Amino acid sequence: MIKTVDIVTNDLPRELQRIAAKNSIPISRLYIDINAVETSYKDETKNLVEIPTHELNRYTDEDSLRDSSIQFEQQYDVTVKPYYKGYPFEKMISEIEFEENDTLAYLVIKKGSILNYYDDLYEDFLDYIAEQKLRSSIMLYLFDTDYQAAIKGLVDVIKQIKTITFKEDKKILVSQGIDAIESVNADIYMNIEEKNEVGDEDNEGKVDYANRGFLLSCTAGEQLFEFIKPQQGKHGRNCRGEILEVETINLDAKPTFSIEDGIEVQDSFENIKYLSKKSGYLVKKGNQYDVSNSIDVSEISFKTTGTINSDLDSEISINVVKDDPLEDAIEEGMHVKVQKITIKGSVGPNTEIEARDIVINGQTHGDSSIKCANANIRLHKGKIVARRVEVETLEGGEIIADIAIVKNAMRGKIRAKTIEIEMLGSHVIMEASKYIQIQRIRGEENRFILDTSVDSGFNVSKDDDQAYFKKTEDELKTLIKAFKDITVKVKNSLEPCDKIRAAIIKSQKQGIEISPAIIQKFKQCKVLKVHYQKQKERIEHKKETYSKLKEKLINTGSNIFDAKIILSEALKGYNHIAYKLNNPEREIELNTNGTMNKKIFQLEEDEDGILKIVNLN
């Protein structure tokens, strides 16, 4: 039979293991009476200094528990006994369960445990919990939680029913350390590169190596990148009193780059955000960043720029200058998307250009494709879809537009609402919904087609105009909502900003140094007012665009009898004229000859309801 053993130790689990081995019994058949607990800490000389019980609260606050220079130690005076017959917790099945790096410790009473009520059950239950904590090397007092109320409630229930059998596990938090706060290393987060998907893979896992992010487009107020400031973490301590160390980092780390006037800086405790002050693209020269609107390049090719894919709403202008007439300014296979582009040179085969405004002083290849709002091209051989197109020489190319103005139409195809040609050659196909106007005619075998369904350079129906109108309407609603929000911010900041301004003026008059914090706040006031003004201007511009589109949709629609061919001189030789009608679908055709020398061709209906094309002055 094991004898009662009195021991003083700072490692109770080791002593219990020794006693159990010596007496050949399981540790679980031993229980402990706690006689005294002595808590100490090691001072700078590593000597143990006892903490009086009444001073323990000084060492349970957050600062002390996070202080890695304080090493706690506890010594326990206990009596170890074997279970005796009638031991009240003999049928208690429990264990200590740790979580969160051992900063949380729970007593888990297992399903099937049995407890009977007796008068001292509450006090003995608390002693039982303390015993279980010591078995798991949990320090007493320093990390105690307020679990007494939970135990009191449980005991009150047992008192009423006399005996309880736990139908499921019951979990009680009995000790809580303090979690470490991890250090934050300095870092740069490039938001703009993620937005532009530079180097991303497609659905098939292939990387478009032509898209190297030559231009990273941005809009006003957009966050370009962010510098995460370094923050030293704080040590934690688990329920056993062990320090949970965190990385010591360099708090002096600063951004290794500088910025120019096109970028706004927003400095806070945690980070520095860099925002674009205007629409454009991000420029990097060495370690210096800026936002610009215009760039000059010698060519657009795979080896120099790669694909250029910017937002059409970003105010970016590219000037491409290629002096060599034997090489293309935009090389074969290149894709370009930019708000405005001027090309002093030629466009190569299999190129695709999308822009709002395009000027090409060279020629377009027959296998090139352009989509834009406005275009001015010297020699056109490819295909263009636009709102307004001006071409000096059309030589086999195709124009699809609202308005097409051609100086010399040698051959090719034009489809537009209105077509104006200064000099018409031969083998040109012209389709218009309103009129075709020719000044001089030098050729023949041309086709003139009047068709009211030709109503948009981007779509042969009205759907595009409707979609553009709806897009503008939605954008206007979004701008108005954002403007209301910034108006509230401006109104709320008027009084504080006025006070800051008055404080700065007063300090200047008194010759007192103005603190950097006050200056920073004053700058924030100015930035807010600038944002307010810009937002107001954007709304006015969008309202004007919206009104014009609305008026345009109302007035859209052509009458086939108003559609005509207007000549400054008579047609020569053989040409074909056709009017396309709906309801029912049919064509009214006329082949011209030398006798038709009057200046206007249009559709008329005679007294018998017969439609015919007439030639008149």
Side-chain angles (χ1 to χ4, degrees):
M1 182 70 179
I2 181 176
K3 296 181 179 179
T4 298
V5 181
D6 291 321
I7 57 173
V8 176
T9 181
N10 58 7
D11 190 349
L12 187 58
R14 182 183 63 188
E15 290 297 324
L16 290 178
Q17 188 173 13
R18 181 184 63 79
I19 295 170
K22 182 179 179 181
N23 293 276
S24 300
I25 63 171
I27 292 178
S28 60
R29 300 305 298 170
L30 300 173
Y31 78 93
I32 307 159
D33 281 340
I34 302 172
N35 303 317
V37 179
E38 180 183 292
T39 305
S40 306
Y41 70 91
K42 290 183 180 180
D43 62 13
E44 294 178 355
T45 61
K46 301 299 182 182
N47 291 321
L48 281 176
V49 178
E50 184 179 352
I51 303 173
T53 303
H54 65 276
E55 291 186 8
L56 277 174
N57 288 341
R58 285 178 49 194
Y59 295 90
T60 59
D61 62 25
E62 182 175 343
D63 289 341
S64 296
L65 294 179
R66 292 194 186 280
D67 187 348
S68 61
S69 68
I70 300 177
Q71 299 180 45
F72 293 110
E73 191 170 301
Q74 283 187 337
Q75 186 170 274
Y76 311 105
D77 181 348
V78 298
T79 301
V80 180
K81 303 176 181 179
Y83 279 4
Y84 58 87
K85 187 176 181 180
Y87 175 60
F89 298 96
E90 187 171 4
K91 295 184 179 180
M92 173 77 85
I93 310 166
S94 67
E95 67 177 5
I96 295 291
E97 184 178 289
F98 290 94
E99 292 182 7
E100 303 293 336
N101 295 319
D102 294 353
T103 58
L104 296 175
Y106 296 87
L107 175 72
V108 181
I109 303 173
K110 298 291 187 177
K111 175 183 177 181
S113 297
I114 300 173
L115 270 180
N116 297 310
Y117 179 77
Y118 60 97
D119 289 343
D120 295 329
L121 177 59
Y122 173 68
E123 290 77 11
D124 289 349
F125 208 145
L126 296 181
D127 290 342
Y128 174 80
I129 293 174
E131 177 189 353
Q132 301 309 307
K133 288 161 73 173
L134 290 186
R135 288 176 181 269
S136 299
S137 300
I138 296 173
M139 285 189 167
L140 301 182
Y141 312 135
L142 291 174
F143 309 102
D144 286 355
T145 60
D146 184 17
Y147 54 82
Q148 288 83 355
I151 301 304
K152 183 66 168 61
L154 179 59
V155 170
D156 288 344
V157 171
I158 299 172
K159 181 177 181 180
Q160 293 179 0
I161 61 176
K162 305 304 180 185
T163 298
I164 186 170
T165 300
F166 290 85
K167 302 299 183 184
E168 58 185 20
D169 290 356
K170 184 173 182 60
K171 201 172 184 180
I172 303 169
L173 181 65
V174 294
S175 186
Q176 184 170 1
I178 188 165
D179 287 320
I181 299 175
E182 295 299 326
S183 298
V184 177
N185 285 291
D187 200 4
I188 288 287
Y189 181 60
M190 299 299 291
N191 310 74
I192 191 169
E193 287 190 354
E194 289 219 347
K195 186 199 81 167
N196 283 269
E197 299 180 345
V198 176
D200 282 1
E201 295 180 354
D202 60 19
N203 294 332
E204 297 179 356
K206 297 178 181 178
V207 176
D208 180 7
Y209 291 104
N211 183 15
R212 298 194 297 276
F214 176 74
L215 285 188
L216 298 178
S217 63
C218 54
T219 55
E222 179 182 347
Q223 182 171 311
L224 305 173
F225 39 90
E226 176 185 7
F227 176 73
I228 308 298
K229 290 184 177 180
Q231 295 181 41
Q232 181 56 53
K234 295 182 179 180
H235 299 306
R237 198 182 295 261
N238 64 26
C239 298
R240 298 186 177 98
E242 299 164 341
I243 283 290
L244 303 175
E245 294 187 353
V246 295
E247 177 188 4
T248 301
I249 62 172
N250 177 20
L251 294 177
D252 295 327
K254 297 289 189 297
T256 57
F257 54 84
S258 61
I259 54 98
E260 294 296 302
D261 294 338
I263 298 176
E264 175 191 339
V265 178
Q266 290 185 354
D267 198 343
S268 69
F269 175 75
E270 295 180 345
N271 55 29
I272 303 174
K273 293 182 178 180
Y274 298 85
L275 313 180
S276 175
K277 288 185 179 179
K278 58 187 176 182
S279 293
Y281 64 93
L282 184 66
V283 179
K284 183 180 181 182
K285 296 179 181 178
N287 287 327
Q288 191 177 75
Y289 287 97
D290 197 3
V291 172
S292 181
N293 303 108
S294 179
I295 185 172
D296 296 337
V297 296
S298 61
E299 65 180 14
I300 294 177
S301 63
F302 186 90
K303 64 183 178 182
T304 57
T305 64
T307 293
I308 294 177
N309 184 20
S310 66
D311 192 334
L312 292 181
D313 291 329
S314 297
E315 297 171 5
I316 299 176
S317 176
I318 298 179
N319 301 311
V320 187
V321 181
K322 188 76 171 182
D323 295 330
D324 190 345
L326 299 178
E327 294 185 12
D328 294 323
I330 299 183
E331 291 190 356
E332 181 177 359
M334 286 294 98
H335 294 186
V336 180
K337 184 177 180 182
V338 67
Q339 189 180 85
K340 184 176 181 180
I341 184 168
T342 301
I343 304 166
K344 294 182 180 178
S346 298
V347 175
N350 300 314
T351 55
E352 294 181 14
I353 304 175
E354 185 175 355
R356 290 193 185 278
D357 299 294
I358 292 177
V359 176
I360 302 175
N361 293 329
Q363 69 178 24
T364 61
H365 193 278
D367 292 328
S368 65
S369 175
I370 298 172
K371 184 176 182 180
C372 64
N374 304 293
N376 193 310
I377 302 172
R378 187 178 67 81
L379 177 59
H380 183 52
K381 296 182 177 182
K383 178 179 179 180
I384 183 169
V385 179
R387 294 289 179 187
R388 179 186 176 92
V389 177
E390 293 186 41
V391 172
E392 186 171 333
T393 301
L394 175 65
E395 191 177 304
E398 181 180 2
I399 298 172
I400 302 173
D402 289 342
I403 300 170
I405 301 172
V406 181
K407 188 173 182 179
N408 300 291
M410 309 300 291
R411 55 188 177 85
K413 184 176 181 181
I414 307 171
R415 180 184 177 93
K417 293 180 183 179
T418 64
I419 299 174
E420 298 177 16
I421 298 175
E422 185 174 324
M423 196 282 290
L424 177 64
S426 301
H427 304 289
V428 179
I429 300 173
M430 295 156 280
E431 295 182 65
S433 58
K434 293 185 177 180
Y435 66 81
I436 300 172
Q437 182 174 304
I438 314 290
Q439 290 187 28
R440 291 179 295 150
I441 301 170
R442 293 292 178 267
E444 56 182 315
E445 296 190 17
N446 297 297
R447 293 177 60 85
F448 299 83
I449 301 169
L450 282 304
D451 182 355
T452 57
S453 68
V454 180
D455 67 353
S456 174
F458 291 92
N459 201 315
V460 294
S461 71
K462 299 178 183 178
D463 293 345
D464 185 68
D465 284 339
Q466 290 283 2
Y468 189 52
F469 175 75
K470 181 66 170 62
K471 179 176 180 289
T472 303
E473 185 178 44
D474 292 341
E475 288 173 350
L476 181 59
K477 290 178 181 178
T478 302
L479 282 174
I480 290 173
K481 183 179 182 303
F483 182 68
K484 287 180 179 179
D485 293 340
I486 197 171
T487 300
V488 171
K489 289 181 181 179
V490 170
K491 287 181 178 179
N492 291 339
S493 70
L494 285 177
E495 186 176 347
C497 287
D498 288 341
K499 288 181 178 179
I500 292 169
R501 184 173 179 273
I504 291 174
I505 293 172
K506 183 178 179 181
S507 298
Q508 287 175 335
K509 287 180 178 180
Q510 295 177 352
I512 301 172
E513 184 180 354
I514 304 169
S515 72
I518 292 292
I519 294 174
Q520 180 65 27
K521 288 181 180 179
F522 185 64
K523 286 181 179 179
Q524 290 173 354
C525 290
K526 291 176 69 176
V527 168
L528 185 62
K529 289 181 180 179
V530 170
H531 283 177
Y532 171 80
Q533 190 60 37
K534 286 184 177 179
Q535 196 78 349
K536 187 176 180 181
E537 291 172 359
R538 290 178 70 189
I539 283 181
E540 293 303 321
H541 175 71
K542 191 65 70 173
K543 279 183 177 178
E544 184 180 351
T545 304
Y546 175 79
S547 298
K548 288 180 179 179
L549 285 171
K550 189 174 183 180
E551 183 180 355
K552 177 183 175 183
L553 285 173
I554 292 172
N555 297 330
T556 295
S558 300
N559 188 330
I560 192 65
F561 292 100
D562 294 330
K564 60 185 67 177
I565 300 167
I566 305 167
L567 309 173
S568 296
E569 60 185 38
L571 282 173
K572 296 180 179 180
Y574 173 82
N575 295 279
H576 181 77
I577 299 173
Y579 275 77
K580 290 187 176 181
L581 289 83
N582 296 315
N583 299 320
E585 290 187 2
R586 61 198 190 281
E587 287 189 13
I588 308 299
E589 298 178 309
L590 174 68
N591 293 321
T592 66
N593 55 53
T595 64
M596 300 177 183
N597 54 11
K598 296 179 181 179
K599 307 295 178 61
I600 295 175
F601 289 88
Q602 68 181 52
L603 186 68
E604 285 190 358
E605 184 176 5
D606 63 17
E607 295 178 354
D608 298 323
I610 304 299
L611 296 174
K612 59 182 178 179
I613 300 169
V614 297
N615 181 215
L616 47 83
N617 285 324

